[in-house]
């Protein structure tokens, strides 16, 4: 189960056995003593490995397009296949780790991640690369929840909060570090080096897990909601597939509308199933609570805009502005100059003006940043990019903390694991949807706005229509027209992100207008608690 041994049995004498096989003081009941610092280092290396993979490959998209001749749609899939599988399997994979052993889940997940990363450098096919990114997503889904539940199940109570704080810092910084590290690697090597780094990190984390991480599990926990997991994965898969493929088939094409319809029907079916099963992955009744719903919507749409923006801006900086991979990575760092200080002071701001005002202000700043970015052209000065990135980072820093607090404060102590799981699921799912939707808007507009001179051979026209990464190597005038069309698509994509965060700001303002969460009913708490262990992949984030 995801709540730690000490939390599950606070009155158990030190050294006594708890249901998950740990001593009440947080140490393993049998075997060698636990080296907590080593456990923390190993789990954070594993966490950084899978989180950085969500963003690191964005820097390599231009070179991937050149080597594999991937279309803009295929580039979206190369990035989003990982995020989609990661998000879709997060809850069931976390529940499996809790039930059958977190150390085992870490080792299996790192093995899968490392094997997929080891195979990727040897492929030159976009389709094969997409498949391998799915494999990496499966490994990541097993790794991420096991890292935090290992910490909370291993550390003694007095050291647990500090350890979780380190975990959260690594989770937040790894995406930016991944972009910067990839930029450095690409200065000397090809995009394949990004996967080689993944192999090294996964191997180091697996070795450390084998050597230092004790095992813990809850074999008597509730059975896994297999039906709910299958329905949710199928529904999300159909939805994201249809969105990414829409530029190829047309937004009003039969394939797109059919796929979207199937996705919606499956997700509605998931809600219906979760309402009637005894041990749900996620109880939909929780979303009737205004604060819980507001926090979830805010986190989901913040990361929708963030990961979608990273996907688009990295291609713009390299293919339109002509920056190197390293310069492109460094160019987005000012966003962290706003995010980190704002996240640190957000609790004080929320205490002074209220969580509602703080969160809405942050979402408005994100919206403003996206609007500014939508005005960038081919020859825009860097200060205009800076004027969009800094308020975007500042807004995320202000909005994330009160959104997370709204989720956790709306639930009783017994359901804090569920709240943490929803918080992190919202982040990963928001990123997957953001890449799919904004990438699809970019691709559709690029295709529609690309107008090449009649003198350009038809074979080159088709190549140029596939993506800017391919068109950039066709020479003039195809490359120039392609850059113009890409910038048009970028404008539409960023405005789409701005609309999403503006909707989030309005939703949060309306949902939190009362300023206090409603009480949890006994029936609601009892039903949610039945599925808490299966749903709570994370605890204490």
């Amino acid at each position: 189960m995801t709540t730690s041994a000490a939390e599950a049995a606070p009155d158990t004498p030190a050294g006594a056995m708890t249901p998950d096989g740990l001593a009440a003081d947080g140490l393993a009941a049998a075997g060698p003593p636990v080296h907590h610092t080593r456990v923390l280092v190993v789990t954070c290396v594993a966490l950084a490995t899978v989180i950085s993979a969500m963003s690191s490959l964005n820097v390599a998209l231009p070179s991937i397009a050149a080597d594999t001749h991937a279309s803009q749609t295929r580039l979206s899939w190369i990035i989003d296949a990982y995020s989609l599988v990661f998000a879709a399997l997060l809850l069931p994979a976390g529940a499996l780790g809790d039930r059958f052993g977190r150390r085992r889940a870490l080792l299996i997940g790192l093995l899968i991640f490392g094997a997929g990363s080891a195979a990727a450098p040897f492929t030159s096919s976009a389709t094969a690369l997409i498949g391998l990114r799915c494999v990496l997503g499966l490994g990541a889904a097993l790794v991420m929840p096991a890292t935090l539940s290992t910490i909370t199940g291993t550390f003694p109570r007095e050291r647990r909060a500090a350890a979780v704080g380190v975990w959260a810092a690594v989770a937040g910084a790894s995406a930016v570090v991944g972009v910067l590290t990839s930029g450095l690697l690409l200065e000397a090597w090809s995009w394949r080096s990004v996967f080689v780094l993944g192999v090294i990190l996964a191997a180091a984390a697996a070795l450390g897990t084998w050597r230092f991480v004790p095992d813990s599990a809850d074999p008597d926990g509730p059975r896994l909601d297999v039906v709910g997991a299958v329905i949710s994965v199928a529904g999300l898969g159909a939805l994201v597939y249809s969105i990414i493929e829409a530029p190829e088939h047309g937004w009003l094409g039969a394939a797109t509308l059919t796929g979207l319809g199937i996705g919606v029907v499956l997700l509605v079916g998931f809600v219906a199933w979760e309402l009637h099963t005894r041990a749900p992955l996620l109880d939909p009744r929780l979303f009737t609570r205004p604060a819980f719903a507001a926090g979830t919507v805010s986190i989901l749409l913040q990361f929708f805009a963030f990961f979608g923006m990273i996907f688009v801006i990295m291609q713009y900086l390299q293919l339109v502005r002509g920056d190197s991979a390293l310069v492109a990575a460094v160019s987005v760092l000012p966003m962290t100059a706003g995010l980190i200080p704002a996240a640190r002071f957000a609790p004080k701001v929320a205490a002074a003006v209220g969580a509602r005002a703080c969160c809405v202000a942050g979402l408005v700043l994100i919206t403003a940043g996206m609007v500014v970015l939508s005005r960038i052209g081919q020859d825009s000065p860097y200060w205009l990019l800076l004027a969009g990135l800094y308020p975007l980072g500042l807004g995320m820093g202000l909005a994330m903390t009160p959104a997370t607090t709204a989720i956790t404060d709306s639930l009783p102590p017994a359901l804090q694991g569920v709240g943490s799981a929803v918080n992190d699921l919202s982040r990963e799912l928001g990123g997957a949807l953001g890449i799919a939707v904004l990438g699809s808007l970019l691709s559709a507009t690029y295709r529609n706005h690309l107008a090449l001179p009649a003198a350009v051979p038809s074979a080159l026209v088709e190549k140029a229509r596939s993506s800017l990464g391919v068109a950039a190597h066709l020479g003039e005038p195809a490359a120039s027209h392609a850059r113009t069309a890409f910038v048009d698509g970028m404008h539409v994509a960023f405005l789409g992100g701005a609309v999403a965060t503006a909707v989030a700001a309005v939703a949060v303002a309306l949902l939190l207008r009362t300023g206090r969460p409603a009480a949890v009913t006994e029936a609601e708490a009892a039903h949610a608690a039945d599925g808490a262990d299966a749903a709570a992949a994370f605890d204490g984030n």
Side-chain angles (χ1 to χ4, degrees):
M1 58 185 172
T2 53
T3 51
S4 67
E7 291 170 326
D11 297 325
T12 305
M17 289 289 291
T18 56
D20 60 2
L22 295 179
D25 58 4
L27 301 177
V34 177
H35 299 281
H36 294 100
T37 300
R38 295 175 183 177
V39 171
L40 181 61
V41 170
V42 169
T43 52
C44 284
V45 170
L47 176 68
T49 300
V50 300
I51 293 293
S52 62
M54 289 190 67
S55 59
S56 58
L57 210 59
N58 283 284
V59 190
L61 285 177
S63 56
I64 290 175
D67 283 0
T68 66
H69 303 288
S71 66
Q72 196 65 49
T73 298
R74 290 292 173 266
L75 291 178
S76 295
W77 271 119
I78 289 171
I79 298 299
D80 214 20
Y82 178 81
S83 301
L84 174 61
V85 174
F86 192 172
L89 297 180
L90 202 54
L91 290 180
L96 285 172
D98 289 341
R99 185 74 179 273
F100 298 107
R102 291 140 190 166
R103 179 173 179 265
R104 185 177 301 169
L106 266 174
L107 287 171
I108 294 174
L110 288 167
L111 177 62
I112 293 172
F113 187 95
S117 297
F122 298 100
T123 183
S124 58
S125 163
T127 302
L129 199 53
I130 292 167
L132 289 171
R133 288 281 285 177
C134 289
V135 172
L136 266 65
L138 171 60
L142 286 165
V143 168
M144 187 176 183
T147 59
L148 187 55
S149 56
T150 293
I151 291 172
T152 57
T154 303
F155 274 67
R157 184 185 300 276
E158 64 273 12
R159 297 183 60 184
R160 192 176 305 134
V164 171
V166 173
W167 183 95
V170 171
S174 295
V176 176
V177 172
V179 170
L180 188 58
T181 302
S182 295
L184 288 168
L185 289 173
L186 289 167
E187 286 294 297
W189 298 290
S190 75
W191 57 268
R192 293 174 171 82
S193 62
V194 178
F195 289 101
V196 175
L197 178 62
V199 174
I200 296 171
L201 290 174
L207 182 62
T209 300
W210 182 266
R211 178 68 179 82
F212 300 116
V213 175
D215 203 6
S216 62
D218 181 22
D220 298 322
R223 61 182 177 81
L224 177 64
D225 179 17
V226 177
V227 175
V230 171
I231 296 174
S232 65
V233 170
L236 290 173
L239 200 63
V240 172
Y241 176 86
S242 301
I243 292 171
I244 291 179
E245 292 291 330
E248 299 276 354
H249 303 294
W251 280 97
L252 297 179
T256 301
L257 294 178
T258 300
L260 291 174
I262 291 173
V264 170
V265 169
L266 286 172
L267 292 178
V268 170
F270 170 74
V271 172
W273 173 262
E274 296 298 283
L275 286 172
H276 291 90
T277 187
R278 176 168 176 75
L281 277 177
L282 184 60
D283 186 4
R285 292 178 181 85
L286 295 175
F287 292 95
T288 63
R289 302 179 51 72
F292 188 88
T296 302
V297 168
S298 179
I299 293 292
L300 180 80
L301 294 181
Q302 286 176 55
F303 283 91
F304 175 98
F306 172 73
F307 278 106
M309 182 275 296
I310 290 292
F311 173 75
V312 175
I313 204 72
M314 283 299 163
Q315 296 179 74
Y316 163 77
L317 290 171
Q318 295 178 75
L319 295 175
V320 177
R321 291 178 65 93
D323 294 340
S324 68
L326 180 58
V327 170
V330 172
S331 294
V332 300
L333 288 183
M335 182 171 56
T336 63
L339 192 154
I340 295 174
R344 182 179 179 183
F345 290 105
K348 295 181 179 179
V349 175
V353 303
R356 177 177 182 247
C358 183
C359 193
V360 170
L363 290 166
V364 169
L365 282 171
I366 297 172
T367 303
M370 294 295 288
V371 170
V372 172
L373 292 176
S374 74
R375 307 320 306 155
I376 294 173
Q378 293 189 53
D379 302 314
S380 296
Y382 178 73
W383 66 261
L384 185 59
L385 182 67
L386 182 65
L389 290 174
Y390 183 77
L392 193 152
L394 189 67
M396 288 194 71
L398 287 174
M400 275 193 291
T401 299
T404 299
T405 301
I407 293 172
T408 57
D409 284 358
S410 66
L411 300 175
L415 298 181
Q416 287 304 300
V418 176
S420 296
V422 171
N423 177 72
D424 289 284
L425 175 61
S426 299
R427 177 175 61 186
E428 310 307 332
L429 182 57
L433 291 174
I435 294 167
V437 175
L438 300 195
S440 188
L441 291 173
L442 167 67
S443 181
T445 307
Y446 171 80
R447 287 168 173 269
N448 292 335
H449 286 215
L450 182 59
L452 296 176
V456 177
S458 58
L460 291 184
V461 171
E462 288 305 312
K463 289 183 178 181
R465 280 175 56 83
S466 65
S467 77
L468 176 58
V470 175
H473 293 81
L474 298 180
E476 302 298 342
S480 177
H481 285 276
R483 286 192 293 270
T484 300
F486 182 91
V487 170
D488 291 344
M490 181 180 70
H491 292 166
V492 174
F494 286 158
L495 286 176
V499 169
T501 51
V503 168
V506 173
V508 170
L510 293 174
L511 288 168
L512 296 183
R513 64 186 182 277
T514 59
R516 58 183 183 277
V520 181
T521 66
E522 291 186 10
E524 180 184 43
H527 184 77
D530 284 336
D533 288 339
F538 308 127
D539 175 82
N541 182 20

mmCIF file of all heavy atoms in Angstrom, residues 289-292 405-406 409-411 511-512 514-520:
data_model
loop_
_atom_site.group_PDB
_atom_site.id
_atom_site.type_symbol
_atom_site.label_atom_id
_atom_site.label_comp_id
_atom_site.label_asym_id
_atom_site.label_seq_id
_atom_site.Cartn_x
_atom_site.Cartn_y
_atom_site.Cartn_z
ATOM 1 N N ARG A 289 -16.123 17.560 -5.743
ATOM 2 C CA ARG A 289 -15.648 18.500 -4.734
ATOM 3 C C ARG A 289 -14.959 19.668 -5.437
ATOM 4 O O ARG A 289 -13.985 19.477 -6.162
ATOM 5 C CB ARG A 289 -14.692 17.780 -3.779
ATOM 6 C CG ARG A 289 -15.350 16.573 -3.085
ATOM 7 C CD ARG A 289 -14.385 15.862 -2.160
ATOM 8 N NE ARG A 289 -13.723 16.783 -1.244
ATOM 9 C CZ ARG A 289 -14.321 17.369 -0.221
ATOM 10 N NH1 ARG A 289 -15.598 17.137 0.010
ATOM 11 N NH2 ARG A 289 -13.656 18.185 0.564
ATOM 12 N N PRO A 290 -15.425 20.900 -5.263
ATOM 13 C CA PRO A 290 -14.907 22.045 -6.034
ATOM 14 C C PRO A 290 -13.398 22.234 -5.931
ATOM 15 O O PRO A 290 -12.731 22.452 -6.944
ATOM 16 C CB PRO A 290 -15.662 23.233 -5.431
ATOM 17 C CG PRO A 290 -16.919 22.654 -4.885
ATOM 18 C CD PRO A 290 -16.561 21.287 -4.394
ATOM 19 N N ALA A 291 -12.829 22.154 -4.726
ATOM 20 C CA ALA A 291 -11.393 22.391 -4.579
ATOM 21 C C ALA A 291 -10.578 21.307 -5.271
ATOM 22 O O ALA A 291 -9.562 21.590 -5.918
ATOM 23 C CB ALA A 291 -11.024 22.469 -3.093
ATOM 24 N N PHE A 292 -10.996 20.074 -5.146
ATOM 25 C CA PHE A 292 -10.312 18.960 -5.792
ATOM 26 C C PHE A 292 -10.357 19.130 -7.315
ATOM 27 O O PHE A 292 -9.344 18.981 -7.997
ATOM 28 C CB PHE A 292 -10.981 17.647 -5.377
ATOM 29 C CG PHE A 292 -10.257 16.416 -5.828
ATOM 30 C CD1 PHE A 292 -9.265 15.851 -5.051
ATOM 31 C CD2 PHE A 292 -10.576 15.807 -7.042
ATOM 32 C CE1 PHE A 292 -8.589 14.699 -5.464
ATOM 33 C CE2 PHE A 292 -9.915 14.666 -7.465
ATOM 34 C CZ PHE A 292 -8.910 14.116 -6.671
ATOM 35 N N THR A 405 -2.219 22.219 -3.263
ATOM 36 C CA THR A 405 -2.806 22.362 -1.932
ATOM 37 C C THR A 405 -4.317 22.205 -1.983
ATOM 38 O O THR A 405 -4.929 21.609 -1.085
ATOM 39 C CB THR A 405 -2.436 23.730 -1.337
ATOM 40 O OG1 THR A 405 -1.015 23.843 -1.271
ATOM 41 C CG2 THR A 405 -3.005 23.886 0.071
ATOM 42 N N ALA A 406 -4.937 22.735 -3.030
ATOM 43 C CA ALA A 406 -6.388 22.607 -3.166
ATOM 44 C C ALA A 406 -6.794 21.146 -3.267
ATOM 45 O O ALA A 406 -7.811 20.720 -2.710
ATOM 46 C CB ALA A 406 -6.866 23.376 -4.399
ATOM 47 N N ASP A 409 -5.861 19.466 0.399
ATOM 48 C CA ASP A 409 -6.652 19.992 1.513
ATOM 49 C C ASP A 409 -8.126 19.619 1.412
ATOM 50 O O ASP A 409 -8.856 19.702 2.404
ATOM 51 C CB ASP A 409 -6.524 21.513 1.597
ATOM 52 C CG ASP A 409 -5.195 21.948 2.198
ATOM 53 O OD1 ASP A 409 -4.403 21.046 2.570
ATOM 54 O OD2 ASP A 409 -4.931 23.161 2.287
ATOM 55 N N SER A 410 -8.569 19.226 0.240
ATOM 56 C CA SER A 410 -9.980 18.876 0.079
ATOM 57 C C SER A 410 -10.268 17.439 0.507
ATOM 58 O O SER A 410 -11.425 17.019 0.504
ATOM 59 C CB SER A 410 -10.405 19.063 -1.380
ATOM 60 O OG SER A 410 -9.741 18.143 -2.226
ATOM 61 N N LEU A 411 -9.220 16.700 0.873
ATOM 62 C CA LEU A 411 -9.370 15.293 1.219
ATOM 63 C C LEU A 411 -8.944 15.034 2.660
ATOM 64 O O LEU A 411 -8.044 15.707 3.167
ATOM 65 C CB LEU A 411 -8.529 14.424 0.278
ATOM 66 C CG LEU A 411 -8.861 14.512 -1.213
ATOM 67 C CD1 LEU A 411 -7.869 13.688 -2.016
ATOM 68 C CD2 LEU A 411 -10.280 14.050 -1.488
ATOM 69 N N LEU A 511 -14.757 27.667 -9.369
ATOM 70 C CA LEU A 511 -14.807 26.532 -8.451
ATOM 71 C C LEU A 511 -14.368 26.901 -7.039
ATOM 72 O O LEU A 511 -14.859 26.333 -6.058
ATOM 73 C CB LEU A 511 -13.936 25.392 -8.979
ATOM 74 C CG LEU A 511 -14.468 24.648 -10.210
ATOM 75 C CD1 LEU A 511 -13.394 23.755 -10.812
ATOM 76 C CD2 LEU A 511 -15.700 23.812 -9.837
ATOM 77 N N LEU A 512 -13.442 27.838 -6.920
ATOM 78 C CA LEU A 512 -12.942 28.226 -5.601
ATOM 79 C C LEU A 512 -13.587 29.496 -5.063
ATOM 80 O O LEU A 512 -13.083 30.096 -4.122
ATOM 81 C CB LEU A 512 -11.415 28.418 -5.654
ATOM 82 C CG LEU A 512 -10.580 27.182 -5.975
ATOM 83 C CD1 LEU A 512 -9.094 27.519 -5.910
ATOM 84 C CD2 LEU A 512 -10.908 26.042 -5.021
ATOM 85 N N THR A 514 -16.075 29.911 -3.232
ATOM 86 C CA THR A 514 -16.525 29.839 -1.845
ATOM 87 C C THR A 514 -15.366 29.965 -0.876
ATOM 88 O O THR A 514 -15.564 30.279 0.290
ATOM 89 C CB THR A 514 -17.238 28.507 -1.566
ATOM 90 O OG1 THR A 514 -16.330 27.430 -1.836
ATOM 91 C CG2 THR A 514 -18.464 28.360 -2.442
ATOM 92 N N GLY A 515 -14.144 29.662 -1.378
ATOM 93 C CA GLY A 515 -12.966 29.823 -0.546
ATOM 94 C C GLY A 515 -12.713 28.699 0.422
ATOM 95 O O GLY A 515 -11.747 28.702 1.167
ATOM 96 N N ARG A 516 -13.572 27.695 0.514
ATOM 97 C CA ARG A 516 -13.332 26.582 1.436
ATOM 98 C C ARG A 516 -13.955 25.308 0.866
ATOM 99 O O ARG A 516 -15.012 25.344 0.242
ATOM 100 C CB ARG A 516 -13.926 26.869 2.817
ATOM 101 C CG ARG A 516 -15.421 27.135 2.796
ATOM 102 C CD ARG A 516 -15.934 27.477 4.191
ATOM 103 N NE ARG A 516 -17.368 27.662 4.198
ATOM 104 C CZ ARG A 516 -17.987 28.782 3.854
ATOM 105 N NH1 ARG A 516 -17.284 29.815 3.466
ATOM 106 N NH2 ARG A 516 -19.301 28.879 3.898
ATOM 107 N N PRO A 517 -13.290 24.165 1.065
ATOM 108 C CA PRO A 517 -13.798 22.905 0.525
ATOM 109 C C PRO A 517 -14.966 22.384 1.320
ATOM 110 O O PRO A 517 -15.115 22.661 2.499
ATOM 111 C CB PRO A 517 -12.591 21.955 0.662
ATOM 112 C CG PRO A 517 -11.818 22.514 1.809
ATOM 113 C CD PRO A 517 -12.020 23.999 1.770
ATOM 114 N N ALA A 518 -15.808 21.615 0.662
ATOM 115 C CA ALA A 518 -16.940 21.003 1.352
ATOM 116 C C ALA A 518 -16.451 19.806 2.151
ATOM 117 O O ALA A 518 -15.397 19.241 1.895
ATOM 118 C CB ALA A 518 -17.978 20.547 0.323
ATOM 119 N N ALA A 519 -17.225 19.401 3.124
ATOM 120 C CA ALA A 519 -16.854 18.264 3.949
ATOM 121 C C ALA A 519 -17.024 16.972 3.163
ATOM 122 O O ALA A 519 -17.870 16.856 2.284
ATOM 123 C CB ALA A 519 -17.717 18.228 5.207
ATOM 124 N N VAL A 520 -16.201 16.004 3.498
ATOM 125 C CA VAL A 520 -16.305 14.706 2.850
ATOM 126 C C VAL A 520 -17.405 13.910 3.530
ATOM 127 O O VAL A 520 -17.432 13.778 4.744
ATOM 128 C CB VAL A 520 -14.966 13.937 2.981
ATOM 129 C CG1 VAL A 520 -15.066 12.593 2.291
ATOM 130 C CG2 VAL A 520 -13.831 14.749 2.395
#
